[in-house]
Amino acid sequence: MAENLTNPEDTASLRAHMFTSHDKLMGDVLGRAAARGEIPAEAIKPRVIDFASALVDHHFIVHGAPKPEPEQGLAEVQRSHG
């Protein structure tokens, strides 16, 4: 964390690279869920993509591996909070 303060340009570059690919993958997952009718397509917004990615990251950190069917888990979250 301290490195963020000493070299903000490198940190910004790393974040942009990491999150761009991560967000694209999550956007694809959410897009497929919308195509199946599991979530409304209009719900796929940058903030939702960020949130969904954070949920997957949290699950990985806490449980050691993502769910075998991550799209199913996202649909469950959507139904419980939609």
Side-chain angles (χ1 to χ4, degrees):
M1 293 182 122
E3 282 297 313
N4 288 331
L5 300 174
T6 60
N7 201 338
E9 295 85 16
D10 286 346
T11 300
S13 176
L14 178 62
R15 282 184 181 152
H17 178 70
M18 284 177 47
F19 293 114
T20 298
S21 61
H22 199 194
D23 288 350
K24 172 154 179 14
L25 290 172
M26 187 54 65
D28 292 347
V29 169
L30 293 172
R32 290 192 307 270
R36 290 190 301 268
E38 295 173 349
I39 64 171
E42 60 273 6
I44 304 173
K45 298 178 179 171
R47 193 168 194 88
V48 172
I49 291 171
D50 288 344
F51 180 70
S53 295
L55 287 175
V56 172
D57 290 345
H58 179 264
H59 186 89
F60 183 81
I61 291 167
V62 171
H63 300 287
K67 285 185 160 191
E69 298 177 27
E71 292 176 5
Q72 178 183 352
L74 295 173
E76 292 169 9
V77 169
Q78 175 65 26
R79 281 192 298 273
S80 67
H81 295 347

